[in-house]
């Protein structure tokens, strides 16, 4: 083959890679977008659905799959909803966007805000968000406000601020938490992708639940594909909260939520009602998993599947493992666990479980000695 042909071929391959479909474009028929909506993208969506053969075998559920949402541009599922929310905010003439966050929403808002050149304000519970997420927001130039309270207090303050400004006629900032309907619209596309990859809906969809936007979004996505005649069934939704922050399990708000999974350290989920509806309509459950079960799942997802997610994400697999052990899942069922965020977000959590490196001098002999070979 001539050199120029090789180059042309390589270029063609690159063009194909560059032509990664834009989330808002590909799913335009299902999204509230129109000709005036800016067609922005950072490459969100199209995340891998990985067949977890090792863990599946270990828990007796061979058709276990993982939806790896940490592969989104800012490392979490939030980007799917944020791209739509920010595009709509721009379409509607917003000059700033604001959110309360346990970290991932903040990182995502900061990135998309930077991309469109709008001011971003993120309000976080002081000292309670993972280091990587805070750094992402700071790196993208967001204004970060840390409040002395938990996420629920931060969200309540931000909502009051936005409503108050709105009422005074001085709309300054668009709220981009998942109470913003465009966030849910964008996030539902993950359910579409799961159906496309499996050739139909799974039997079970397991997902961590915090503020309850994501479970609401997935259920909507599955329902819309059913209504469109693209799938014939919908999954049972299995939502998992951390035991110390499980208001939807106990049936009442948790005043002082507490869990190692800081992303879902939420005592009063804004979309709680919709989550319960998704549970009931799907014949599913919302249950609690302990921090110990979350950390065990977190460790094993990395060790046995090579997928490093953040602790909150592992709640989905922790819950599925627990249900499988209790014989509550059909072994022939297709199960999808959503892994919502990347492990690199929370280096402190990883470090607490890691053993220190072996020390050795820089020679083969010393390496051999250190390894005991
Ligand atoms: N997993 C991760 C990694 C999250 O960051 C969140 C929520 C959830 C699960 C729960 O999703 O709230 O839709 O039920 N993080 C929000 C934030 C609250 O501010 O980043 P949910």
């Amino acid at each position: 083959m001539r050199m120029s042909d090789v180059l042309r071929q390589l270029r063609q391959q690159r063009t194909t890679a560059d032509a990664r479909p834009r989330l808002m474009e590909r799913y335009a028929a299902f999204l509230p977008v129109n000709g005036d909506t800016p067609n922005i993208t950072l490459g969100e969506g199209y995340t891998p659905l990985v067949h977890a053969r090792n863990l599946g075998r270990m828990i007796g559920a061979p058709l276990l799959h993982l939806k790896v949402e940490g592969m989104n541009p800012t490392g979490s599922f939030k980007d799917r909803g944020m791209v739509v929310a920010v595009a709509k905010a721009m379409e509607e003439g917003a000059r700033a966007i604001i959110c309360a966050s346990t970290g991932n929403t903040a990182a995502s808002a900061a990135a998309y805000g930077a991309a469109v050149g709008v001011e971003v304000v993120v309000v976080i519970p002081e000292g309670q968000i993972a280091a990587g997420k805070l750094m992402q927001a700071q790196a993208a130039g967001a204004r970060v406000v840390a409040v002395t309270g938990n996420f629920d207090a931060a969200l309540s303050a931000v909502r009051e601020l936005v409503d108050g400004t709105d009422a005074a006629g001085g709309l300054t900032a668009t709220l981009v938490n998942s109470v913003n309907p465009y966030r849910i619209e964008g996030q539902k596309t993950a359910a579409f992708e799961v159906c496309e990859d499996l050739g139909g809906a799974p039997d079970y969809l397991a997902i961590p639940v915090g503020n309850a936007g994501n479970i609401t979004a997935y259920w909507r996505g599955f329902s819309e594909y059913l209504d469109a005649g693209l799938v014939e069934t919908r999954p049972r939704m299995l939502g998992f909260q951390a035991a110390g922050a499980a208001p939807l399990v106990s049936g009442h708000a948790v005043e002082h939520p507490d869990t190692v999974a800081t992303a879902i350290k939420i005592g009063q989920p804004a979309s709680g009602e919709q989550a319960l509806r998704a549970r009931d309509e799907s014949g599913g459950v919302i249950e609690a998993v302990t921090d110990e079960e979350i950390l065990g799942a977190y460790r094993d997802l990395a060790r046995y599947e090579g997928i490093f997610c953040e602790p909150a994400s592992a709640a989905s697999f922790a819950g599925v493992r627990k249900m499988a052990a209790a014989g509550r899942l059909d072994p022939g069922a297709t199960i999808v666990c959503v892994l919502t965020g990347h492990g690199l977000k929370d280096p402190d959590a990883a470090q607490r479980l890691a053993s220190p490196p072996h020390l050795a001098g820089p020679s083969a002999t010393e390496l051999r000695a250190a390894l005991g070979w």
Side-chain angles (χ1 to χ4, degrees), residues 53-219:
R53 289 186 175 80
N54 298 325
L55 289 177
R57 198 178 316 115
M58 287 160 75
I59 68 165
L63 298 181
L64 177 71
H65 294 75
L66 308 170
K67 179 67 170 160
V68 190
E69 287 289 279
M71 296 297 283
N72 276 295
T74 74
S76 89
F77 71 97
K78 305 287 181 180
D79 297 337
R80 294 177 183 276
M82 198 58 71
V83 70
V84 181
V86 170
K88 293 303 282 186
M90 297 314 285
E91 182 187 331
E92 289 158 12
R95 266 183 269 138
I97 58 174
I98 185 168
C99 66
S101 179
T102 57
N104 281 324
T105 299
S108 187
Y112 284 87
V116 299
V118 78
E119 182 179 0
V120 181
V121 178
V122 305
V123 181
I124 56 167
E126 187 193 9
Q128 297 177 49
I129 83 167
K133 303 173 187 180
L134 177 57
M135 277 185 253
Q136 285 180 289
Q138 290 169 324
R143 293 173 72 184
V144 180
V145 183
V147 296
T148 51
N150 59 27
F151 168 81
D152 303 290
L155 179 57
S156 156
V158 167
R159 290 178 88 164
E160 200 183 318
L161 173 74
V162 173
D163 290 349
T165 321
D166 237 350
L171 178 67
T172 52
T174 300
L175 182 67
V176 293
N177 277 101
S178 59
V179 290
N180 176 326
Y182 300 129
R183 282 276 314 278
I184 305 293
E185 287 296 308
Q187 280 174 212
K188 75 186 177 190
T189 60
F192 296 166
E193 292 173 19
V194 167
C195 293
E196 290 157 22
D197 285 344
L198 292 173
D203 297 307
Y204 294 100
L205 190 288
I207 187 167
V209 176
N211 214 23
N214 211 22
I215 189 172
T216 301
Y218 269 83
W219 185 238

